[in-house]
Amino acid sequence: MTVAEIGVDLLTRLFAGSGLAVVLVGAGEAIPGSYWGAPEAGLTGNRLYLRADTPVHSALHEAAHYLCMDADRRKNLD
């Protein structure tokens, strides 16, 4: 399942209270902070980068890294 199938707004609402901002990247653009490269999600600071073709499981996986970190580790997250 991809972000396009569930809508980016659902993920934005899911993480709204956590301080994690969801950023949608344009089709075909590189995804900042993506370890595996596009279309996998990227995480830099408090921003979760996605494209419409990003798998939902990738977005949730990267978000979990952020959510499980303490404030000190989040400062240098890239």
Side-chain angles (χ1 to χ4, degrees):
M1 182 173 285
T2 65
V3 170
E5 292 176 84
I6 67 164
V8 71
D9 291 341
L10 179 63
L11 293 170
T12 300
R13 287 193 315 270
L14 178 63
F15 302 124
S18 70
L20 184 60
V22 176
V23 180
L24 189 62
V25 176
E29 292 183 25
I31 298 176
S34 178
Y35 182 79
W36 298 107
E40 301 298 323
L43 184 61
T44 304
N46 71 330
R47 293 173 306 278
L48 176 65
Y49 293 97
L50 313 169
R51 287 192 327 204
D53 62 341
T54 296
V56 173
H57 75 269
S58 179
L60 296 175
H61 177 98
E62 293 303 320
H65 285 295
Y66 177 85
L67 297 171
C68 292
M69 289 182 183
D70 62 22
D72 287 336
R73 289 194 66 202
R74 288 178 182 169
K75 286 179 190 176
N76 298 314
L77 181 60
D78 185 5

